[in-house]
Amino acid sequence: MHFTTERRLENGSLERDFTLGEIPGTLWTPTSSPAPLILLGHPGGLRKMYPRLAGRARHCVANGFAAATIELPGSGARPRSTEAEQARADLHRALTAGEPVDEKIIDRLVLPLVEKAVPEWQTTLDALLALPEISGPVGYSGGVIAIGIRLAVVEPRIVAAGLFAGSFVPRVMFDEARQVTIPLHVLLQWDDEGNDRQLALDLFDAFESQEKTLQANMGGHTGVPQFAGDDAGRFFLRHLQ
């Protein structure tokens, strides 16, 4: 892990950009250490997503957590996949036309992303936990929900997850959802224009976690109320400290 920039924020926390091989990312650490860690998922495009990611990270740091995020494969300045770009174009075409999205399009777009992104998150987690200012336990928050599902199944160091039900999920991944047993806090925007509400409800039902909470709020994809973030923060406070 190679740190490329360093900036001390107004609250005393430290924000550092890093590279891990070809993977760029950002790490935020509080003034007290070592700190538990929350991995911040997102739909891709670190530079575009920075204001929202930085806001989420500040919330984590205020609760005593370190927070980290990485760029997704095929996003930002990372090399594009011709197959993924075609699948994304087909998805946008269907949504623009108001047509049902073929499950094959979702599979072509999401499954290869999960296969590439999850090992990169695990490699990043190895490097982060080797830093003296970071300790376990580890949580995962947000992002492409299919990536969160796979991480919750294969990564035992992640002990709790806050998932955003705002992205498409291949039906084949419902079998993986039935293997998820860690505590979950799932956020659903009831009027999310890009989300299949019934699929999100079915997915929540599939999770086998003994502790799972579905928080549904009125509004579209970007209309998440402030109190929903506060509730997610309290969820991680219960499970990461």
Side-chain angles (χ1 to χ4, degrees):
M1 176 174 282
H2 174 63
F3 288 104
T4 57
T5 68
E6 179 176 312
R7 185 165 70 101
R8 184 69 64 178
L9 303 182
E10 64 278 0
N11 60 2
S13 64
L14 189 63
E15 177 185 273
R16 288 174 286 177
D17 292 326
F18 64 84
T19 57
L20 187 63
E22 65 174 18
I23 308 168
T26 304
L27 170 65
W28 294 266
T29 48
T31 54
S32 60
S33 64
L37 174 66
I38 297 179
L39 304 176
L40 301 180
H42 60 93
L46 273 182
R47 186 165 296 180
K48 178 181 177 181
M49 292 294 299
Y50 174 80
R52 291 171 62 186
L53 286 166
R56 290 165 60 194
R58 284 194 295 271
H59 198 277
C60 292
V61 167
N63 285 330
F65 302 122
T69 191
I70 57 174
E71 184 63 276
L72 288 180
S75 295
R78 300 190 64 183
R80 296 294 193 267
S81 160
T82 302
E83 294 80 7
E85 291 298 301
Q86 183 59 58
R88 187 172 290 108
D90 292 341
L91 173 64
H92 289 163
R93 190 177 302 112
L95 292 175
T96 301
E99 300 172 352
V101 178
D102 192 302
E103 290 185 10
K104 292 181 180 178
I105 296 176
I106 298 173
D107 290 352
R108 287 164 45 213
L109 180 62
V110 178
L111 291 177
L113 177 63
V114 171
E115 293 294 332
K116 293 177 182 176
V118 168
E120 292 186 350
W121 270 115
Q122 292 180 292
T123 298
T124 303
L125 185 53
D126 291 340
L128 290 170
L129 289 177
L131 298 174
E133 60 267 40
I134 295 177
S135 65
V138 180
Y140 177 84
S141 171
V144 177
I145 194 169
I147 293 176
I149 292 169
R150 175 68 59 83
L151 277 169
V153 172
V154 304
E155 181 46 74
R157 292 173 292 185
I158 294 176
V159 301
L163 303 178
F164 295 174
S167 54
F168 292 99
V169 181
R171 284 285 178 181
V172 69
M173 293 205 68
F174 274 60
D175 288 337
E176 293 189 45
R178 295 183 183 95
Q179 301 174 51
V180 175
T181 59
I182 63 174
L184 296 177
H185 184 278
V186 181
L187 177 65
L188 170 64
Q189 287 299 103
W190 199 250
D191 305 304
D192 191 337
E193 57 281 0
N195 187 39
D196 184 330
R197 182 195 300 163
Q198 189 57 54
L199 183 142
L201 295 173
D202 292 344
L203 180 65
F204 179 79
D205 190 52
F207 292 128
E208 285 293 329
S209 303
Q210 290 300 303
E211 180 188 333
K212 59 178 182 179
T213 300
L214 176 66
Q215 184 178 51
N217 297 294
M218 303 304 292
H221 188 78
T222 59
V224 180
Q226 178 62 46
F227 64 77
D230 296 339
D231 291 343
R234 285 189 285 270
F235 166 79
F236 283 116
L237 281 170
R238 288 199 305 274
H239 294 289
L240 300 187
Q241 290 187 340

